[in-house]
Amino acid sequence: MVVRNYCAYARGFLDHLAQRNIPVADVTEAQVEQYLREAVALFQRRHGRLPGPRWHQIPCAGIHALLRLVQGRWPPATNAACAADALRFAICNEYEAWLLDERGLARPSIHALLWEARHFLAWHLERCGAEGLMDLSIDDTDRYMDLRALKLTRSSLKSVAERLRSLLRHLYRAGHIATDLSPHIIAPLLYAYEGVPSILERDQIAAVLESARADRTPAGLRDYAILQLLATYGLRSGEIRNLRIEDIDWRSETIRVRHSKTGACSFLPLMVPAGEAVLTYLRSGRPATAAREVFIRTRAPYRKLEKLYSLVRRRLCDAGIKPPGKCGPHIFRHARAVEMLRTSVPQKVIGDLLGHRSTASTAPYLKLATEDLRAIALDVPGAEGLA
């Protein structure tokens, strides 16, 4: 069905190009947008209503696949329209090479740093032009931070400050600015363990699992298996998304977990509920694909999942569970740690299961077991007199 839809929309787009004598190798983004606007108007004339908000995704996917096949890349690289754009592209290219070759950062970190670099340079060069970069001042960076702070939490703003410092160090090192401004970027102070993350109680986890188990669609089978792994092992999102078929040894009933932060591997016993959920998904829910990851998108292109946050949030909502804070997959990790803590599992064992390198990484979970901490609280000398 998906392949048929892709081909149908690609043929319609090719007919559109042929009527206008436009070679497919020369198609631009503006021409694709124009075609989609005409397709929406045609849909409205045929059906008497506008299509749904996500209707454009399938025609876009089919057309983009066609253009990637013909042009080798889509969307095409943006051409510099002025001197400021040319300078921004050049700086970002050399900054990316510096982050990769000299600092040796991982790709996700580089993408975050580059996004901030593009955003800052576009903002500043639009105001001052290419010739104004050398005169970058503390006032300019303060204005940018004030602009970014409007909709960000203190934690997010601290990350912005760290990314901006990195860019400013590179700009000074490469001779694009006259003064190293990185020491003047002030970030909000964050204190260790200052925030208490959300967790789920055992009855809430059971309700989420029961709600997902009732969904027997391919997406439901996949989501239930993911939730079982989250609830049983407290895995990180990346550890589940990168789980491969060969990581599960059905004969010895073990599962190999590649810890996304440390790069180490753990071999854990394959618990029956989690194993049965994964096996049911592999037999009845997983699409036929050459991808080796266990959990795959339900729609083409069939590849591993990019994130779990929206999946978990949707399943929590379906079960009527509304955590007070964040509602992503990490709340299952916190819940698993607290559950083990309440059953007197040593902190070192908890850390090993969660893939922590040191017990200090496990310490933040202690603040979640508030009732347990109250039970061992010491009396404050002189408290009777204060009462």
Side-chain angles (χ1 to χ4, degrees):
M1 176 64 73
V2 174
V3 173
R4 186 162 62 248
N5 287 338
Y6 272 36
C7 292
Y9 285 114
R11 280 194 296 269
F13 183 62
L14 288 173
D15 292 341
H16 169 85
L17 296 178
Q19 293 172 5
R20 291 158 178 77
N21 295 319
I22 301 174
V24 66
D26 298 333
V27 170
T28 64
E29 291 183 275
Q31 290 167 337
V32 174
E33 292 174 1
Q34 176 63 30
Y35 171 75
L36 291 174
R37 284 194 294 268
E38 294 178 6
V40 169
L42 178 61
F43 184 99
Q44 187 176 17
R45 289 196 299 271
R46 287 178 175 175
H47 302 279
R49 61 177 178 84
L50 289 172
R54 301 180 63 183
W55 172 85
H56 68 283
Q57 291 183 353
I58 293 180
C60 276
I63 294 169
H64 291 177
L66 169 69
L67 294 173
R68 281 195 297 271
L69 176 66
V70 175
Q71 299 188 8
R73 172 178 179 172
W74 191 266
T78 305
N79 295 323
C82 59
D85 284 348
L87 178 60
R88 176 162 57 92
F89 294 160
I91 290 175
C92 288
N93 288 338
E94 66 182 30
Y95 183 44
E96 181 178 13
W98 179 64
L99 293 172
L100 181 63
D101 299 335
E102 297 193 28
R103 294 193 59 191
L105 299 183
R107 274 294 172 187
S109 299
I110 293 176
H111 290 162
L113 289 162
L114 281 175
W115 186 94
E116 199 69 51
R118 295 188 188 102
H119 195 275
F120 174 77
L121 291 171
W123 172 82
H124 181 69
L125 294 175
E126 183 180 355
R127 294 167 59 247
C128 303
E131 65 281 355
L133 183 59
M134 183 61 71
D135 299 325
L136 184 69
S137 66
I138 298 174
D139 288 341
D140 295 321
T141 58
D142 286 346
R143 289 193 190 96
Y144 178 77
M145 290 297 294
D146 290 341
L147 178 68
R148 294 285 277 125
L150 293 177
K151 297 182 180 180
L152 296 181
T153 63
R154 291 167 54 247
S155 177
S156 297
L157 190 58
K158 181 178 175 66
S159 298
V160 171
E162 291 171 350
R163 294 193 291 264
L164 184 57
R165 287 195 197 108
S166 174
L167 173 63
L168 293 173
R169 282 194 294 268
H170 169 73
L171 292 176
Y172 176 69
R173 183 193 66 86
H176 295 294
I177 58 177
T179 306
D180 184 7
L181 300 176
S182 60
H184 301 284
I185 304 300
I186 301 175
L189 290 176
L190 300 181
Y191 300 96
Y193 317 145
E194 68 176 38
V196 177
S198 302
I199 65 167
L200 297 175
E201 299 298 335
R202 173 48 56 182
D203 59 336
Q204 293 177 314
I205 294 176
V208 175
L209 291 174
E210 189 62 30
S211 174
R213 187 177 185 178
D215 185 354
R216 305 305 294 176
T217 65
L221 296 177
R222 181 200 63 193
D223 295 355
Y224 177 66
I226 289 173
L227 292 170
Q228 276 287 2
L229 291 175
L230 287 171
T232 303
Y233 302 104
L235 301 181
R236 299 182 180 94
S237 172
E239 293 163 355
I240 289 181
R241 291 186 292 106
N242 294 323
L243 185 68
R244 299 172 67 86
I245 293 176
E246 56 266 25
D247 291 332
I248 303 177
D249 189 335
W250 299 100
R251 292 184 181 275
S252 62
E253 296 183 349
T254 59
I255 180 171
R256 177 174 60 183
V257 178
R258 296 182 177 88
H259 298 293
S260 52
K261 281 194 174 182
T262 63
C265 290
S266 294
F267 291 86
L268 304 175
L270 184 61
M271 307 303 290
V272 173
E276 289 182 347
V278 172
L279 187 60
T280 301
Y281 166 66
L282 292 175
R283 287 174 172 172
S284 307
R286 188 176 185 271
T289 173
R292 300 302 296 170
E293 287 80 14
V294 172
F295 299 108
I296 302 297
R297 287 162 42 102
T298 56
R299 287 169 46 181
Y302 297 122
R303 55 173 180 253
K304 74 173 185 178
L305 298 173
E306 296 179 358
K307 56 184 178 180
L308 299 184
Y309 186 88
S310 58
L311 180 155
V312 172
R313 182 178 59 183
R314 183 175 65 253
R315 292 299 175 179
L316 289 172
C317 183
D318 292 344
I321 305 300
K322 297 181 179 179
K326 294 182 179 180
C327 53
H330 226 65
I331 60 175
F332 286 88
R333 185 172 175 83
H334 291 301
R336 189 71 185 105
V338 171
E339 184 179 13
M340 289 188 290
L341 184 66
R342 288 173 177 168
T343 55
S344 302
V345 176
Q347 185 176 341
K348 177 64 169 62
V349 176
I350 297 175
D352 290 342
L353 177 62
L354 298 181
H356 291 157
R357 282 179 173 173
S358 67
T359 54
S361 300
T362 314
Y365 296 105
L366 295 175
K367 64 184 176 181
L368 298 167
T370 53
E371 296 303 321
D372 304 76
L373 296 178
R374 289 192 185 102
I376 61 173
L378 300 175
D379 293 332
V380 178
E384 295 82 357
L386 295 175

